[in-house]
Amino acid sequence: MNEEEKYVLKYWISKEEFNKKELSAHLDSALEKILPKLDCKIYLNQEYLVLEVVGNEKNIDACYDKLNLNRNWAYRVQDDLGETLRIKSYRILADLELSFREFINRAMIEVGGFNWWNSLIPDNIKERVNQVEQKTDDKQLDSQHALEFTHFDDLVKIITADFQELSDEENISIEKLSEIISKCSTFEEFKNELNERREVISIWENVFSKYFEDKEEWLDLRKKIKTDVIGTRHKVMHHRMLRLHEVRKLKECSEEVKRVIKLAKRGLSRKELKEARENLQRIAETFQKSFNKAITDDFISTMNAFERQHKKIIEDLSNSIRIPNIYSNIPNIANSIDWSSFNRLPPSQSDKGKDNTDEEDNGKDDSDKEDSEENSGDDKE
């Protein structure tokens, strides 16, 4: 940016807080030494005062702090420098995001194959992506990878974050504790179950770190990403006030990230690849276990809601959940349900493409048999 380029900073200010003379005195006190370097105007516009300040980037940036205008009686209506900083920051962020996406996809496809998104990404990230995809044109969904709909914060998490089912940083709920206890018959089993759910799953440690010779360099950079990139990105995307030093740090951090990614290996050795794939298989199994548990919990919750009306069905479903082929009996059980009494049915996870024609025909045969028996009973009477 040109140091001598001039920028306009304009506020609307409530007359209940200042009159024109009082606002002028406030400027003299607040801006002090830089006031001679600024072109300041105060004028009345209908129901409020207008403060217009013109100066170079350094002095306008100083005005953000020194003016000390409260949002309850002052509104920033024009900020030329802020808009310039946002445009510059957006370009930096867009370039940085492209670097992240390219590196994530390249590494994950090499280690986990093209289906890595479905098996290796935590559900909370997938849910946020699904929310974006639901608002997107179907043609775009068909041609764009889910990673392209992933928020920047989540891109950083995929590379750097550690995942736990039970976080060490939050208290465990009574409901969660009761659910764990119900699965255990001894205290030793309880400890093992708790420790398993507290296990830290790090995609960084198991995959991405293998692409870097200096792993500590990236870990140090991770801290800067959180402070100098993510916070600034929120300001850029939500049209909040930006400062010169924030954009400067953003640029420095972005250049450092791209430099480190550029130094990453283009591919892993056979030994590294074998180890990474084994680690990813373990991560995938852990996520799948959590997914299956969530399904089971949802079934149990749904069943409890209808327990009074369909006690027999509840018992059948409960027995189904406890056996390995958890979903195999659900179609048969569903045939006995009085559909009109349900506002919402339990979710079905039947295998896609499975032919249920025989089951449906058997249901019809049983129904016909029952009808004939009832008719036969009526004739005897």
Side-chain angles (χ1 to χ4, degrees), residues 14-256:
S14 170
K15 291 194 298 182
E16 295 180 2
E17 184 65 25
F18 287 114
N19 58 38
K20 190 173 181 179
K21 184 176 180 181
E22 290 170 337
L23 182 56
S24 179
H26 175 77
L27 294 181
D28 291 340
S29 174
L31 299 180
E32 296 182 301
K33 295 180 181 179
I34 67 170
L35 189 60
K37 302 176 182 179
L38 298 168
D39 180 13
C40 298
K41 297 178 183 178
I42 301 172
Y43 54 91
L44 182 65
N45 186 345
Q46 297 178 347
E47 299 301 320
Y48 49 82
L49 291 172
V50 177
L51 169 62
E52 184 178 298
V53 182
V54 181
N56 64 23
E57 64 177 36
K58 181 179 178 180
N59 292 323
I60 292 295
D61 184 66
C63 286
Y64 295 143
D65 284 333
K66 294 181 179 295
L67 281 174
N68 195 27
L69 301 176
N70 190 290
R71 68 178 187 177
N72 292 323
W73 43 262
Y75 176 71
R76 183 164 45 100
V77 67
Q78 183 177 346
D79 183 4
D80 291 351
L81 176 61
E83 194 61 31
T84 300
L85 293 177
R86 261 183 292 279
I87 293 172
K88 182 177 182 180
S89 298
Y90 184 83
R91 291 170 180 164
I92 296 172
L93 288 165
D95 192 30
L96 182 59
E97 283 197 36
L98 287 175
S99 298
F100 270 133
R101 294 181 204 278
E102 190 276 335
F103 171 65
I104 292 172
N105 235 334
R106 175 165 59 86
M108 295 298 270
I109 287 175
E110 180 181 21
V111 178
F114 275 84
N115 196 41
W116 65 266
W117 176 268
N118 294 324
S119 58
L120 297 171
I121 298 301
D123 287 342
N124 58 345
I125 294 180
K126 288 181 182 176
E127 288 170 6
R128 284 191 286 273
V129 170
N130 287 338
Q131 291 173 3
V132 177
E133 289 180 334
Q134 287 172 6
K135 303 174 183 177
T136 306
D137 182 80
D138 289 342
K139 291 183 179 180
Q140 291 190 44
L141 291 179
D142 293 338
S143 60
Q144 292 180 273
H145 193 277
L147 193 67
E148 298 182 71
F149 297 96
T150 305
H151 292 298
F152 182 84
D153 300 29
D154 287 335
L155 290 176
V156 178
K157 287 179 182 177
I158 290 173
I159 296 179
T160 64
D162 298 328
F163 303 99
Q164 288 176 285
E165 183 181 345
L166 296 179
S167 173
D168 293 339
E169 299 177 356
E170 58 187 14
N171 296 326
I172 183 171
S173 68
I174 298 297
E175 181 183 7
K176 177 68 72 175
L177 185 61
S178 299
E179 182 263 319
I180 295 174
I181 292 174
S182 69
K183 293 180 175 294
C184 307
S185 56
T186 67
F187 183 68
E188 192 64 28
E189 288 181 2
F190 171 77
K191 288 196 301 182
N192 291 338
E193 181 75 16
L194 197 62
N195 288 333
E196 185 177 330
R197 298 190 186 206
R198 291 178 59 244
E199 181 184 2
V200 176
I201 299 172
S202 173
I203 298 179
W204 157 259
E205 189 64 33
N206 291 289
V207 179
F208 295 114
S209 67
K210 300 183 183 302
Y211 286 84
F212 299 95
E213 296 294 343
D214 188 352
K215 298 178 177 60
E216 294 301 321
E217 183 178 33
W218 177 266
L219 293 177
D220 291 339
L221 191 57
R222 176 171 65 175
K223 298 175 183 177
K224 291 184 180 180
I225 292 172
K226 291 181 178 179
T227 57
D228 299 343
V229 176
I230 293 179
T232 301
R233 183 183 182 277
H234 291 330
K235 292 184 176 184
V236 171
M237 297 305 173
H238 299 287
H239 207 76
R240 296 170 190 159
M241 185 182 289
L242 273 176
R243 304 298 305 277
L244 281 172
H245 72 273
E246 291 175 319
V247 180
R248 187 162 51 248
K249 286 183 178 180
L250 172 64
K251 184 178 180 181
E252 292 171 357
C253 186
S254 175
E255 290 176 350
E256 185 69 6

Side-chain angles (χ1 to χ4, degrees), residues 274-289:
K274 181 177 181 293
E275 183 180 349
R277 284 175 175 169
E278 289 174 352
N279 291 337
L280 279 189
Q281 180 63 31
R282 184 173 59 84
I283 292 174
E285 290 172 356
T286 302
F287 284 157
Q288 188 62 35
K289 176 182 176 183

